[in-house]
Amino acid sequence: MVPSPIVSEAVAARLEDFLARIATDSDDYGPDAGLFLDAARATLTGGKRLRARFCHAGWQAASGASATDLEPLWGLCAALEIFQSAALVHDDLIDNSDTRRGRPASHRALEAAHRAAGWHGDAEAFGRSSAVLLGDLLVAWSDDLLEETLQGHPHAAATRAEYARMRRDVTVGQLLDITEESAWSVNPPEQMLDRALRVASLKSARYSVVEPLLLGATLAGADAGLLAGLRDIGHPIGMAFQLRDDLLGVFGDPAVTGKPAGDDLREGKRTALIAVARGQLQPATRAQLDAALGDPHLSAEAVASLQRLIEDTGAVSRIEAMIAEFTAQAESALTAADVGEDAAASLRALAAAAISRSS
């Protein structure tokens, strides 16, 4: 089994090589574009490399210990990490998030750069507009590295098709996420949890776990049976991962998560946690919760009050129980699958890292 630090180091080396070539090709863009390119590079530092690690586990399940040429795998993993950076840039922009990993979100960093340069005009508007383009640039870089990696590869077509599916799913999932912040008001309350879980599946479970697993396995030439088994393993892990994220978005420690306490409350996220809590409240209290969600100016005291309200409904315990159920489903699927001892060990370790986390 390749230890996760080796995965991280290999991906970092692949990114460094790619970015060095990008820099050489960008010499004629001028200093203003240099600011933009530096912002793109900055998004690629830090993070858990979780998608790269799941991609490696999928490749490991399909190839066993016999494969020796790992360069295509590291290229694919690095392309995934670049795409993840693109998604985070756009996600922070959509959610009006000020921070990411304890640092200014990209649109805020670009806004600050505008002010520091003494440029004319609206610095905030510049930051937001630049971040749209920054996310687009990162998507392009991801595609560039993917195509470079797959050139002449025997499983290029299948891997490319799986990558395209991932991009479609997460884009639709993001749309459904922001739609639910408004559409909840006209949909039956009893549908709220199912709608939240659909968002979790598309935006997170498939994108963060299932598709990286399938991409790694597809690159290694996996057959349909193995791909189905990995899908059965990955989806409940991904769902538990997102439910943990829902809890952290309301109750997480800012010193650990790198985001303000109660960020999901200020952003108005209609997560499974909110759906469960809302279903336990009386109409008057439910209306108070609905009125507070999405208020970007919620004070620390107001956030603490909402945290107590949600916890008192028993919603936290319910979500923890759902996480445990998804974890058990993943273990059952893993036991039934023929993925080999090393891949099984990797997947168990990854599941624990994804589900039992504080950031």
Side-chain angles (χ1 to χ4, degrees):
M1 179 174 65
V2 178
S4 61
I6 292 181
V7 175
S8 296
E9 289 165 11
V11 171
R14 194 69 179 83
L15 287 172
E16 184 178 354
D17 173 72
F18 177 74
L19 292 174
R21 287 184 283 112
I22 287 288
T24 300
D25 292 343
S26 307
D27 285 343
D28 61 345
Y29 286 174
D32 294 342
L35 169 75
F36 184 58
L37 296 174
D38 287 345
R41 293 186 193 96
T43 69
L44 298 171
T45 61
K48 305 176 187 67
R49 304 298 189 211
L50 193 66
R51 287 154 193 84
R53 291 165 67 188
F54 274 112
C55 185
H56 169 262
W59 171 89
Q60 190 177 34
S63 64
S66 59
T68 56
D69 181 12
L70 304 186
E71 286 308 306
L73 171 66
W74 303 140
L76 175 59
C77 288
L80 274 171
E81 291 297 324
I82 297 174
F83 186 81
Q84 164 69 353
S85 288
L88 293 180
V89 169
H90 284 161
D91 197 43
D92 287 342
L93 185 60
I94 290 167
D95 293 338
N96 292 310
S97 297
D98 293 329
T99 58
R100 168 66 61 180
R101 297 170 181 162
R103 303 189 299 267
S106 292
H107 61 286
R108 294 302 186 198
L110 289 160
E111 175 186 335
H114 179 287
R115 289 199 176 95
W119 291 346
H120 172 76
D122 187 334
E124 184 175 356
F126 172 84
R128 296 183 67 83
S129 298
S130 298
V132 171
L133 298 172
L134 179 62
D136 291 347
L137 176 68
L138 287 163
V139 170
W141 281 2
S142 174
D143 285 349
D144 291 344
L145 184 50
L146 178 72
E147 290 305 317
E148 177 184 292
T149 296
L150 294 180
Q151 187 172 6
H153 197 280
H155 305 298
T159 305
R160 189 179 291 114
E162 200 65 57
Y163 203 88
R165 176 172 179 167
M166 175 196 71
R167 289 182 303 197
R168 292 193 301 271
D169 282 356
V170 73
T171 302
V172 173
Q174 180 67 276
L175 182 278
L176 292 179
D177 188 27
I178 62 173
T179 298
E180 195 60 19
E181 293 172 22
S182 302
W184 67 268
S185 61
V186 298
N187 287 307
E190 62 271 17
Q191 292 182 6
M192 184 172 286
L193 179 57
D194 286 343
R195 292 169 66 88
L197 292 175
R198 181 185 296 117
V199 171
S201 176
L202 286 167
K203 185 184 174 185
S204 190
R206 298 188 198 180
Y207 165 59
S208 298
V209 181
V210 178
E211 289 300 339
L213 274 175
L214 297 182
L215 280 163
T218 299
L219 187 73
D223 60 26
L226 178 57
L227 293 175
L230 290 173
R231 192 177 287 109
D232 290 344
I233 295 165
H235 193 261
I237 294 174
M239 293 300 289
F241 170 82
Q242 181 55 46
L243 292 178
R244 178 65 61 201
D245 208 53
D246 293 349
L247 290 172
L248 292 172
V250 173
F251 297 101
D253 180 352
V256 180
T257 65
K259 303 215 32 106
D263 223 28
D264 277 6
L265 300 174
R266 293 188 179 91
E267 293 168 7
K269 294 293 184 185
R270 295 282 166 170
T271 63
L273 175 67
I274 296 301
V276 172
R278 205 172 171 276
Q280 298 301 311
L281 294 171
Q282 295 299 315
T285 314
R286 187 186 306 140
Q288 293 175 9
L289 174 64
D290 289 337
L293 285 174
D295 179 357
H297 305 297
L298 283 177
S299 66
E301 293 76 15
V303 167
S305 177
L306 288 173
Q307 288 171 331
R308 288 192 297 272
L309 175 66
I310 292 167
E311 194 156 21
D312 287 346
T313 66
V316 174
S317 296
R318 171 76 187 283
I319 295 299
E320 289 286 6
M322 291 173 68
I323 290 173
E325 290 169 10
F326 280 125
T327 303
Q329 288 176 23
E331 178 57 35
S332 178
L334 182 54
T335 301
D338 182 17
V339 297
E341 291 183 9
D342 284 351
S346 292
L347 284 166
R348 286 191 174 92
L350 279 171
I355 297 167
S356 302
R357 60 194 171 94
S358 55
S359 66

